[in-house]
Amino acid sequence: MDSPSAPGADFTTLFHFLPIGAYRSSADGQMIHANAQLARINGFRDVDELLTHARADADGWYVDPQRRAEFRALLARDGAVRGFVSEVRSRHVGERMWVRENAHVVRDASGQVLFYEGTVEDISAQMAQQQAIDEQQERMRALADQIPGMLFSLVVHHDGSRSYRFVSSGVRELYGVEPEDVMRDATLIARMLHPDDAPRLQVETQALLEQSLVLSGEFRIRLADGRVKWVHNRSIEVRRDSEGVHRVGVLLDITERKRAEDALHENEALWKLALESAGEGVWDWNLVTGEEYLSDSMLALYGYTREELRGEAVALDARTHPDDVVGMSLARIAHFEGRSRVYRNEHRVQAKDGRWVWVLTRGMVIARDEQGRPLRMVGTHTDITEMKQAEEQRHALEAQLRESQKMEAIGTLAGGVAHDFNNLLAAILGNLVLAREDVGPDHPAQESLAEINRAAIRARQLVQQILTFSRRGTQVMERQPLLPLVDEALRLMRSLLPAGVRLTTRLSEQALPVLVDGTQMQQVLMNLCTNAWQAFEGRAGEVTVTLEAVTLDAGHALQLGAIEPGAYARLSVADNGPGMDEATQRRVFEPFFTTKAPGTGTGLGLAVVHGIVKAHRGAIGLVSRPGAGARFDVYLPLAAADVAPQADAIAPAAAPLEPVRAGLHVVYVDDYEALVFLVNRLLRKQGYRVTTFESGQAAIDWFAAHPDEPVDLLVTDQNMPGLSGIEAARELRRLRPALRMAVVSGHVSDALIAEAAAIGITEVMAKQDSMDALGAAIRGLLEPAGA
């Protein structure tokens, strides 16, 4: 290097400045010159140490011994070696490294080799980096080969042509070609496009060049063997440069999925057809877009056209009854959140003609996304309007049955109370008669006794109302036209109308024959009219009475209280007063229930009406609402022409006017001590010999103990604790077969009369209103026997 005649001596400074190793060696391989970088590459402290210990062609430099021969062969053949990359060992420390070598031969004019010159560049870092890149690419390629379908990287050139830079091995399974073939000829797979889908390629290419797009779509390909596959394409843009648009993406084989979808669509068509034929309305709801398919039968159910509902779920939801929206929404949410396996709800939807249609809707979510959010839901609508109406009717009938049972129970209770109260009044009135006789007509106590008598009479009238309500009062049923009875009652009421109340009538011209107790039926009309004008509370108003013939079908008859369907007379009393709420309507027929101020009503008027109508095998209905008045409708069955009059009780025989023969023996049995005492006094005053008992068993015991004692008449109360009157009479008939007997009851019925007749008792008497009446009845029984 320091010889002034050496070639290149003028570049000595540059030689040592080079960042790569440089050397010159003799023809026999001896190192002549080297720079500091080459010394460092080989692990020597300086150039002198390198020149002392190293030869350019020393053995062991190359890790692969073959590389030395390859290097020398290239140098001999070409006179130069360029970019010769090899793994070598440092000559001094033996560490491996990668180097890139360049060398050439310097010859003299005769061609003899003067020396060799070359460079050595440490490229270990670059090689490590490249190796990492190669390994990464290999891993990515292996990963791409594991992903179903074909992964690709391509360039869409500005002229519309395409070049693939990477194609995964999945192209073999999808297209049946090799990745290298596609990268060599980009039109190879484009030519496999189905003819019907091929035009889309040109459109998509133009769109990709004009703007950045995320492509996602489906198309068909036709393979060489004629098979058709469905392919899903998804790709995105990576960058744009002068070469074109760089994109990466994936092609997936979705043939099986499309076949499954086709099968599903076919199955959907079948189940929709099946449900349609079963009368079910079918719906299919896209929960993402809000679109909803409604079947023809579902549209027919509500009377709308497809255009009117616009194919949107909100259009039908908007027609749902406001009271049902919350329940419907909660049921949906419960199903969406997985708390209920099936969505099920009953609600009302307004049809086009304004009707509210009750529907049972059932459905199920059949598609969800990866987070579990519902995507699609299908189901049915079933018209349950008739079922709901029947259910409402059933509830109404159940309520009516409970009301009827309650009224029956109250009636039984009222009848029992009235019976006992009647006994008390009989004792009071009887003793009043005796007391007034005892003190004489001029006694000062007569005035007080008269007041007691008037109060007792008013109490007795109240008892009669209670007995009428409980249907235990005496009825005389006769076939007679209803129109004259109504006319007569209306004439009486016109004189009783309060000021400001107008009475309007709409009466049928037909006589309308019915089997009724005329007096009680007039009481019904008077009670209803009185109730109507009392509702005005001193204000002006109108009461309308209507009488007409109607025919009840089975349904209407059942709603009114299980009466028989057929022809009826309907007597209606309507007012334009304040009306009643539902709570008041439920209690309006209860005895002693009243909305009037204390002291202004007994609460028995409508209860009595209810009892009378029921006893006439009729029914009563009420139509009212607050602010719209009230209307009571009384239904009485029209009587056939051949119906005979009926009586609920045997009328007592008229008492003779002449005095009774003294000494006739009467045995009287009643559990009420005060009444026994009173009857004893009364009959003795009339000249009878009287024996009284307070139980049927006591009477039986007396008759058994006195077989020879003459008795002309036995009178026994029916309703007594222990033995009833009939039971006591049956035993006494065994002891005295010829004994004349009479049974007294506060409720004379056909069953009681028949039971008495079975043991030979023909005298069944209703309890008399006064002691005088009782005495006359007993006289009527005894005189024929004693004549």
Side-chain angles (χ1 to χ4, degrees):
M1 289 287 296
D2 55 355
S3 174
S5 61
D10 294 339
F11 298 100
T12 299
T13 303
L14 177 61
F15 180 78
H16 287 286
F17 181 73
L18 288 174
I20 62 177
Y23 66 89
R24 176 180 290 171
S25 65
S26 63
D28 60 359
Q30 181 64 43
M31 191 71 70
I32 301 173
H33 298 293
N35 65 0
Q37 182 62 26
L38 185 62
R40 284 193 293 272
I41 291 174
N42 283 278
F44 293 105
R45 291 192 301 274
D46 52 31
V47 174
D48 290 338
E49 187 179 6
L50 172 65
L51 295 177
T52 302
H53 295 89
R55 285 175 53 87
D57 57 355
D59 293 333
W61 168 249
Y62 294 102
V63 173
D64 182 3
Q66 296 296 325
R67 295 297 285 171
R68 176 178 177 79
E70 293 171 5
F71 183 86
R72 292 175 65 85
L74 290 171
L75 190 60
R77 188 190 68 190
D78 302 329
V81 177
R82 294 178 177 83
F84 193 77
V85 177
S86 305
E87 188 178 15
V88 300
R89 296 184 183 88
S90 168
R91 288 189 172 94
H92 183 59
V93 296
E95 291 183 356
R96 292 189 178 192
M97 68 185 74
W98 284 90
V99 297
R100 181 185 294 113
E101 295 182 88
N102 296 283
H104 69 105
V105 181
V106 179
R107 300 177 186 275
D108 60 14
S110 63
Q112 292 295 317
V113 176
L114 295 177
F115 47 80
Y116 301 98
E117 291 179 334
T119 60
V120 179
E121 180 182 2
D122 184 356
I123 61 169
S124 298
Q126 295 96 312
M127 289 297 291
Q129 185 178 13
Q130 184 60 47
Q131 184 177 6
I133 292 173
D134 291 344
E135 290 176 355
Q136 180 67 19
Q137 288 181 342
E138 186 60 32
R139 284 195 294 270
M140 293 301 294
R141 185 176 292 104
L143 179 61
D145 290 343
Q146 297 305 311
I147 296 176
M150 167 185 150
L151 276 68
F152 62 87
S153 171
L154 60 75
V155 178
V156 180
H157 300 288
H158 297 294
D159 62 358
S161 63
R162 301 180 178 216
S163 298
Y164 284 92
R165 300 299 169 82
F166 171 77
V167 175
S168 71
S169 61
V171 71
R172 297 192 190 98
E173 180 69 22
L174 186 58
Y175 284 92
V177 298
E178 294 298 323
E180 296 78 10
D181 297 334
V182 178
M183 294 176 65
R184 187 168 47 252
D185 182 5
T187 65
L188 180 61
I189 60 176
R191 293 196 299 269
M192 296 185 187
L193 274 171
H194 193 281
D196 294 342
D197 297 336
R200 289 171 47 191
L201 180 62
Q202 184 177 357
V203 175
E204 288 180 355
T205 299
Q206 185 61 37
L208 292 175
L209 292 173
E210 293 175 355
Q211 56 183 316
S212 177
L213 294 176
V214 175
L215 279 186
S216 180
E218 300 172 354
F219 59 87
R220 289 163 293 176
I221 60 174
R222 177 171 288 166
L223 304 182
D225 59 6
R227 287 182 298 144
V228 174
K229 289 185 177 181
W230 275 95
V231 178
H232 177 77
N233 170 39
R234 182 173 178 84
S235 66
I236 60 172
E237 182 177 315
V238 177
R239 69 178 187 277
R240 290 172 179 254
D241 55 24
S242 59
E243 190 178 9
V245 180
H246 296 255
R247 299 181 66 84
V248 294
V250 61
L251 300 178
L252 298 173
D253 186 350
I254 59 169
T255 305
E256 289 303 319
R257 193 197 80 189
K258 294 296 287 187
R259 287 174 182 167
E261 285 181 359
D262 290 342
L264 178 61
H265 289 320
E266 183 177 352
N267 288 337
E268 284 183 356
L270 288 174
W271 69 256
K272 286 179 180 178
L273 182 62
L275 289 174
E276 289 268 2
S277 63
E280 303 278 354
V282 181
W283 49 268
D284 189 339
W285 184 11
N286 186 324
L287 298 171
V288 178
T289 65
E291 296 173 305
E292 185 173 26
Y293 162 80
L294 304 179
S295 67
D296 292 338
S297 61
M298 189 164 172
L299 291 170
L301 175 62
Y302 303 117
Y304 294 110
T305 64
R306 294 192 183 278
E307 293 71 22
E308 288 170 329
L309 294 181
R310 305 187 308 278
E312 299 174 356
V314 294
L316 201 57
D317 285 353
R319 291 165 171 83
T320 300
H321 195 285
D323 294 346
D324 302 337
V325 170
V326 173
M328 181 178 70
S329 299
L330 291 176
R332 284 179 181 173
I333 292 172
H335 180 57
F336 291 163
E337 294 177 351
R339 289 184 282 114
S340 63
R341 189 179 66 84
V342 176
Y343 165 62
R344 188 183 188 281
N345 180 250
E346 295 178 2
H347 59 269
R348 288 161 288 182
V349 177
Q350 190 169 35
K352 188 175 181 179
D353 59 7
R355 292 178 301 111
W356 288 105
V357 179
W358 271 102
V359 294
L360 167 62
T361 178
R362 289 166 290 195
M364 180 177 287
V365 171
I366 62 171
R368 295 180 182 267
D369 62 14
E370 295 178 353
Q371 287 73 40
R373 291 187 293 262
L375 303 176
R376 183 184 176 199
M377 187 177 181
V378 298
T380 62
H381 273 191
T382 305
D383 186 353
I384 59 171
T385 305
E386 291 186 1
M387 184 186 75
K388 278 291 186 179
Q389 291 172 344
E391 185 177 320
E392 290 176 2
Q393 187 180 44
R394 179 175 61 82
H395 288 321
L397 291 174
E398 288 175 353
Q400 190 175 51
L401 175 61
R402 288 192 296 270
E403 185 69 17
S404 175
Q405 291 171 337
K406 180 181 72 174
M407 295 302 292
E408 289 290 341
I410 293 175
T412 301
L413 176 62
V417 171
H419 170 76
D420 292 340
F421 194 47
N422 210 30
N423 285 339
L424 289 171
L425 288 173
I428 292 172
L429 290 168
N431 280 289
L432 271 172
V433 171
L434 296 176
R436 295 180 77 176
E437 289 179 359
D438 290 343
V439 302
D442 299 326
H443 196 280
Q446 284 289 355
E447 184 177 356
S448 296
L449 293 173
E451 284 299 317
I452 295 173
N453 185 72
R454 279 192 290 271
I457 292 298
R458 287 197 296 271
R460 187 176 64 190
Q461 292 170 346
L462 180 61
V463 170
Q464 288 304 313
Q465 284 188 312
I466 295 174
L467 287 172
T468 301
F469 159 72
S470 65
R471 303 194 294 280
R472 294 189 176 185
T474 301
Q475 288 180 322
V476 179
M477 307 288 281
E478 296 179 332
R479 182 183 184 277
Q480 54 187 310
L482 186 57
L483 180 59
L485 293 175
V486 173
D487 270 334
E488 183 180 349
L490 289 174
R491 283 196 300 272
L492 176 62
M493 282 188 292
R494 288 187 188 279
S495 62
L496 303 176
L497 281 175
V501 176
R502 184 171 67 255
L503 181 62
T504 303
T505 59
R506 300 190 183 98
L507 306 182
S508 169
E509 295 181 357
Q510 303 176 48
L512 302 178
V514 289
L515 189 64
V516 295
D517 182 312
T519 301
Q520 289 189 346
M521 198 48 55
Q522 288 180 328
Q523 183 182 359
V524 166
L525 181 57
M526 294 180 70
N527 283 11
L528 289 177
C529 288
T530 302
N531 185 76
W533 63 56
Q534 286 178 346
F536 297 132
E537 297 180 343
R539 296 184 296 271
E542 182 178 11
V543 177
T544 303
V545 177
T546 304
L547 179 63
E548 58 187 338
V550 296
T551 300
L552 297 181
D553 57 25
H556 196 183
L558 189 63
Q559 290 178 358
L560 286 168
I563 59 177
E564 294 294 326
Y568 283 79
R570 180 167 64 191
L571 176 63
S572 301
V573 177
D575 66 73
N576 58 354
M580 291 175 269
D581 57 24
E582 291 185 4
T584 302
Q585 292 182 53
R586 284 194 294 270
R587 301 189 60 193
V588 72
F589 294 113
E590 292 181 11
F592 308 111
F593 172 76
T594 179
T595 58
K596 300 179 179 68
T600 60
T602 64
L604 280 173
L606 292 178
V608 168
V609 168
H610 184 274
I612 293 174
V613 172
K614 287 293 184 182
H616 283 73
R617 297 180 178 84
I620 184 168
L622 170 59
V623 179
S624 180
R625 66 175 186 272
R631 188 185 77 239
F632 289 88
D633 296 319
V634 174
Y635 294 86
L636 299 171
L638 292 178
D642 57 349
V643 174
Q646 296 180 2
D648 284 351
I650 297 177
L657 297 177
E658 61 273 9
V660 68
R661 289 186 327 201
L664 293 178
H665 189 186
V666 177
V667 174
Y668 183 79
V669 184
D670 197 305
D671 63 304
Y672 185 41
E673 182 182 0
L675 195 58
V676 169
F677 175 77
L678 179 62
V679 171
N680 192 352
R681 285 189 61 195
L682 174 68
L683 294 179
R684 288 183 185 279
K685 286 190 69 173
Q686 293 184 353
Y688 296 111
R689 188 161 62 93
V690 183
T691 303
T692 59
F693 300 98
E694 294 179 11
S695 72
Q697 187 60 52
I700 294 170
D701 293 343
W702 183 87
F703 273 97
H706 303 81
D708 299 326
E709 180 73 24
V711 176
D712 298 287
L713 177 65
L714 168 73
V715 179
T716 178
D717 186 34
Q718 166 63 9
N719 298 313
M720 296 184 296
L723 294 176
S724 69
I726 290 293
E727 291 170 339
R730 184 180 293 111
E731 182 63 22
L732 291 173
R733 177 65 70 200
R734 186 180 63 81
L735 296 174
R736 297 278 185 101
L739 179 63
R740 187 176 181 84
M741 301 181 185
V743 175
V744 180
S745 174
H747 176 46
V748 177
S749 65
D750 293 341
L752 178 61
I753 294 172
E755 191 175 6
I759 58 175
I761 300 175
T762 58
E763 290 79 13
V764 179
M765 302 186 298
K767 279 207 170 180
Q768 304 304 313
D769 292 338
S770 68
M771 289 297 100
D772 290 341
L774 177 60
I778 291 175
R779 181 191 300 269
L781 292 174
L782 284 173
E783 284 305 305

